Amino acid sequence: NMAIPTFASSNPAPAPTPTLPPLTFSANPGQNRMQKGNFDDCKIFVGGLNLNTSVDQLMSSFAAYGQITDAVIMTDKITGKPRGFGFIVFESPDCVAAVLRVNDKHHV
């Protein structure tokens, strides 16, 4: 019997794909109120945000209108940089109505 030599593969194993940490877009992700279709009557879109605006600043700017249950500033999925808009979810639709009654005084 003749032994057949074994050789290391000339094709190295592929490098593992780096894993990215899960993206958290929401200030309160545990409540799942930010998902599309959930609590839409309690959400408002906030556009024209300064790229340096934080979620805390966004929330404090609208806190006078009622209990905020979640807020998010949308970011680019690749760069992580803010896109200049976000959403706020209030506890009730009455809070949204209060924001809309004062339509020219919102500056974050």
Side-chain angles (χ1 to χ4, degrees):
N1 288 344
M2 183 172 177
I4 301 174
T6 58
F7 299 97
S9 171
S10 61
N11 296 330
T17 305
T19 57
L20 297 173
L23 297 175
T24 303
F25 295 106
S26 155
N28 195 359
Q31 290 191 3
N32 199 29
R33 293 178 62 96
M34 194 55 71
Q35 294 295 335
K36 186 174 183 179
N38 291 355
F39 301 93
D40 283 348
D41 59 342
C42 296
K43 289 181 196 170
I44 62 168
F45 167 83
V46 183
L49 292 175
N50 181 302
L51 298 182
N52 296 319
T53 302
S54 70
V55 171
D56 289 338
Q57 289 170 319
L58 181 62
M59 291 175 70
S60 67
S61 295
F62 287 89
Y65 299 97
Q67 179 66 39
I68 295 172
T69 60
D70 206 350
V72 62
I73 294 176
M74 301 307 291
T75 58
D76 182 275
K77 291 179 184 177
I78 302 211
T79 66
K81 293 181 180 179
R83 295 176 58 195
F85 69 94
F87 297 90
I88 294 177
V89 183
F90 286 99
E91 183 65 37
S92 84
D94 294 335
C95 303
V96 173
V99 171
L100 296 177
R101 280 194 292 272
V102 189
N103 64 1
D104 64 341
K105 296 188 178 187
H106 305 295
H107 299 281
V108 180

